[in-house]
Amino acid sequence: ESGKSHSRRQTRMSKVEYVDLTGLRVDGRRPHELRKVAVKMNVLSRASGSAMFEQGNTKIVASVFGPHQCTNRSKEIHDRALINCEVVMAPFGGAGDRRKRAKGDRQVGEVASMLRQTFESLLFCNLFPRAQIDITVEVLQADGPFRAQAINAVTLALIDAGLPIQDFLVACGVGYIDGYTLMDLNGLEDSARGPEVVLAYMPNTNKLTTAHLEPKLPLEALGPAMEMALEGSRELYKLLQVAVLEHCSQLATARGQISL
Amino acid sequence: MEVVTPGQVIQSGEGFLRGHGTYVAHGKLIASVAGVVQRVNKLVSVVPLKSTYSGQVGDVVVGRVTEVGQKRWQIDVGSTQGAVLMLSSVNLPGGVQRRRTYEDQLNMRTLYAEGDLVSAEIHSFWADGAMSIHTRSRKYGKLTFGVLVQVPAVLMRRMKEHFHRIDEVGVDMLLASNGYVWLSPTPPEGERGEEEGGGDKEGEGEEATETAPWGGYKGAVDAGPEVRARMARVQQSIRVLAAQWLEVSPEAIRDVYEESEEKEVEVAAMLEDAVRSEVTTRACQRRDAQARSKPDV
């Protein structure tokens, strides 16, 4: 009989502890901690504006081209700019799963569509009638979900291009696994296939532009998850603003507009 | 010098005037771009570090013909919209002043075809913000023998004279306000004549067809390896200035050119990271001297 229970114990699968007894996650972070953020602006010399945004091992390059003459006359809008948005996953990017992504992958297309709608309302499009602004997001490395990181990268690229926007747009994702609310999921936590809340937030105007939840989340967990996402966004805003100010000061000094 | 980021509130007194790069919300003036705040009397604006070229009347621009349409050409000058060059705004061959006929319309491609590079001046703006340009002067027209270097338009300052000749180097430069720089070898003595607005020394009479615009020679210009090597160095000097985010002015180009020659830097190596700062020391000194002489805003 002892032999039987012994064999039962052996066939049981080991479970990943997303938050261990001491309260640390798989990568040593606490539930309310962001991964390390790195920002580089003006990374592509040929684009009007560009930025590389890294959060942990997730690396995204966003570039903006425009405003310029509409390439398709029939699509131009007489009193505002047309915004095009494209999201490209680098083949070596590996979003955790090794699935071959078909062209026109719906998930990637959906992120592109979400970005376009979000930034259309953020940009002052009516300042550029009959023009076109092209936004390209390239996901070089995806360690976990990249929706929030794409939004941050595009904000930085638009600022680098000198395009007028109402405010920064910062986004943070929050997951819910085993009853724990976790800020900024990494790849391993994302593979648990739990729900993720992503909020896009305008820090100075204190407004939410986008809220995304996929898949389902218990109702009582929604409030705390959104609170945590807002907290993460505010934290990110501080980091992004410092990066932008540094970049601006560098350029302004080179031009002789500021003397240090 | 105040540097602001989008969404930041700009300190402003009563009765401010809203300039570019800002917007008003809840009675407060808020920045819409990241840049330096500029205050001129009551006008408060934010100048972004980078922006697409938006011209002013009188600017000299260089652009490429993208479309030949009904009585107009569309020229790409790197602005939010293509610039429009009307048939009535060009000089007809022969310098004749007459009403444009249907035949002129059909022969538009003989003047400027798609892909041609043209120098022109901004005449006015359309209601939607598109530029209307003209080539109604002997200095403007098709550019044929030379090299184009593109730099960000923000690095070009407004200047009285856009056409420059560096005699020692033998290069003619056209520094267009939209950041397009056209370099061509200086033509020999006999073929010049357009700068003073006078006639051709060869005495072709009123035949304006013989006088070509600055940089657009009808005949062949003999450009041997020496001239080409010098032009390559000028090109690289301009690119180095742009890479270091310095103002691209004729003096700065000359500074970099001379310094690179003195330090015996190879033309091909000029754009390398380590070398760039070496050849721009004089240009940086000039920039600092200019910044010091400017009164504090």
Side-chain angles (χ1 to χ4, degrees):
Chain A
E1 267 161 52
S2 56
K4 262 199 215 159
S5 54
H6 182 74
S7 63
R8 246 188 280 135
R9 237 176 286 135
Q10 274 184 323
T11 53
R12 194 172 36 178
M13 292 251 286
S14 59
K15 192 171 186 284
V16 176
E17 266 191 343
Y18 291 102
V19 183
D20 70 9
L21 295 165
T22 62
L24 295 178
R25 291 151 75 172
V26 289
D27 53 5
R29 283 186 287 155
R30 299 245 163 236
H32 56 265
E33 270 180 51
L34 285 171
R35 287 174 289 177
K36 182 157 168 261
V37 167
V39 170
K40 242 191 255 174
M41 291 175 70
N42 195 22
V43 292
L44 302 172
S45 57
R46 286 260 168 200
S48 305
S50 58
M52 166 113 106
F53 180 75
E54 294 176 51
Q55 197 164 342
N57 287 324
T58 297
K59 289 196 223 293
I60 301 195
V61 173
S63 60
V64 173
F65 183 50
H68 62 94
Q69 180 82 27
C70 241
T71 43
N72 197 343
R73 270 290 174 75
S74 57
K75 291 223 178 95
E76 72 182 24
I77 309 168
H78 74 281
D79 60 350
R80 40 187 285 272
L82 173 75
I83 315 287
N84 275 336
C85 190
E86 197 191 348
V87 178
V88 177
M89 299 275 306
F92 44 81
D97 52 358
R98 308 234 179 130
R99 265 185 299 165
K100 265 218 167 107
R101 289 192 180 268
K103 233 185 178 187
D105 183 359
R106 228 179 272 155
Q107 197 212 18
V108 166
E110 193 256 307
V111 173
S113 167
M114 181 266 302
L115 286 173
R116 187 184 54 77
Q117 285 180 331
T118 307
F119 286 100
E120 239 170 24
S121 53
L122 192 76
L123 279 160
F124 285 99
C125 293
N126 53 351
L127 292 177
F128 310 109
R130 294 172 56 226
Q132 181 177 315
I133 299 174
D134 300 308
I135 303 173
T136 309
V137 174
E138 183 149 2
V139 182
L140 297 177
Q141 230 173 259
D143 186 20
F146 58 85
R147 198 181 287 262
Q149 288 77 359
I151 292 174
N152 295 331
V154 174
T155 301
L156 290 166
L158 289 174
I159 293 175
D160 184 46
L163 285 170
I165 50 177
Q166 285 176 51
D167 193 354
F168 270 75
L169 190 65
V170 260
C172 184
V174 165
Y176 183 76
I177 311 174
D178 292 343
Y180 292 103
T181 323
L182 304 173
M183 190 191 285
D184 187 18
L185 297 176
N186 63 25
L188 191 58
E189 290 164 344
D190 184 40
S191 64
R193 309 293 205 143
E196 199 213 3
V197 176
V198 176
L199 292 185
Y201 174 64
M202 286 167 38
N204 291 300
T205 355
N206 198 27
K207 285 198 186 140
L208 269 187
T209 57
T210 313
H212 182 94
L213 167 63
E214 187 178 32
K216 291 187 231 179
L217 182 68
L219 188 59
E220 59 274 9
L222 183 62
M226 286 181 75
E227 275 303 320
M228 189 179 265
L230 278 180
E231 193 193 303
S233 302
R234 289 189 186 112
E235 202 47 55
L236 271 165
Y237 171 59
K238 283 190 220 155
L239 297 167
L240 295 190
Q241 200 195 19
V242 164
V244 168
L245 280 171
E246 219 176 86
H247 175 71
C248 281
S249 307
Q250 219 176 33
L251 285 187
T253 317
R255 279 290 268 122
Q257 285 169 319
I258 308 182
S259 41
L260 285 179
Chain B
M1 287 288 144
E2 258 178 278
V3 179
V4 290
T5 54
Q8 215 175 314
V9 176
I10 305 173
Q11 294 301 330
S12 50
E14 288 287 318
F16 57 80
L17 281 176
R18 185 184 81 70
H20 290 301
T22 64
Y23 69 98
V24 179
H26 311 297
K28 286 190 266 189
L29 189 64
I30 304 176
S32 60
V33 293
V36 181
V37 177
Q38 194 180 64
R39 295 171 201 275
V40 180
N41 293 335
K42 298 233 170 173
L43 180 68
V44 184
S45 45
V46 182
V47 180
L49 275 311
K50 275 201 237 176
S51 63
T52 320
Y53 173 64
S54 61
Q56 283 186 9
V57 174
D59 275 358
V60 175
V61 294
V62 164
R64 216 172 267 284
V65 178
T66 50
E67 253 179 59
V68 182
Q70 290 250 15
K71 292 204 261 189
R72 55 164 68 181
W73 288 270
Q74 189 171 81
I75 316 259
D76 171 31
V77 294
S79 183
T80 39
Q81 290 184 62
V84 175
L85 176 61
M86 305 291 294
L87 179 57
S88 49
S89 308
V90 306
N91 280 335
L92 290 174
V96 166
Q97 303 288 348
R98 58 173 167 75
R99 197 167 163 161
R100 290 355 180 215
T101 62
Y102 188 59
E103 258 181 38
D104 291 322
Q105 238 188 293
L106 296 174
N107 292 335
M108 278 171 77
R109 264 190 194 81
T110 58
L111 283 172
Y112 307 125
E114 288 92 338
D116 282 347
L117 210 59
V118 171
S119 66
E121 191 181 293
I122 299 181
H123 171 266
S124 58
F125 285 90
W126 298 95
D128 58 11
M131 289 176 219
S132 181
I133 59 179
H134 73 88
T135 57
R136 272 214 176 268
S137 164
R138 284 212 278 228
K139 328 185 260 200
Y140 306 126
K142 186 154 95 171
L143 301 171
T144 51
F145 192 81
V147 182
L148 181 72
V149 182
Q150 286 172 286
V151 298
V154 288
L155 297 179
M156 296 293 242
R157 65 151 196 268
R158 298 241 123 71
M159 37 191 135
K160 260 198 221 154
E161 191 50 64
H162 291 263
F163 302 87
H164 298 270
R165 172 165 287 153
I166 315 181
D167 286 307
E168 310 88 71
V169 181
V171 166
D172 285 351
M173 288 194 301
L174 166 48
L175 294 162
S177 306
N178 61 332
Y180 288 34
V181 180
W182 177 254
L183 303 169
S184 45
T186 308
E189 282 291 333
E191 280 161 49
R192 297 184 218 171
E194 64 283 347
E195 325 97 75
E196 277 96 76
D200 206 346
K201 283 201 181 134
E202 298 295 305
E204 296 291 336
E206 273 113 32
E207 282 294 301
T209 31
E210 297 309 317
T211 337
W214 184 286
Y217 306 105
K218 304 287 179 166
V221 178
D222 185 24
E226 275 169 33
V227 177
R228 286 175 193 261
R230 273 179 267 150
M231 274 184 63
R233 194 176 284 275
V234 178
Q235 271 182 71
Q236 286 288 71
S237 307
I238 297 170
R239 290 199 189 103
V240 162
L241 285 169
Q244 296 293 88
W245 207 254
L246 287 162
E247 187 174 72
V248 179
S249 63
E251 301 86 34
I253 297 172
R254 182 171 261 162
D255 281 340
V256 178
Y257 183 94
E258 287 169 2
E259 197 167 351
S260 70
E261 272 200 329
E262 282 164 30
K263 296 194 173 158
E264 291 179 8
V265 178
E266 276 200 21
V267 175
M270 276 172 79
L271 265 180
E272 284 167 25
D273 285 327
V275 183
R276 285 202 311 240
S277 34
E278 260 184 71
V279 295
T280 48
T281 52
R282 224 176 287 168
C284 286
Q285 280 168 1
R286 181 187 291 272
R287 166 202 73 196
D288 293 333
Q290 264 176 359
R292 273 194 295 267
S293 63
K294 248 190 271 185
D296 274 327
V297 174

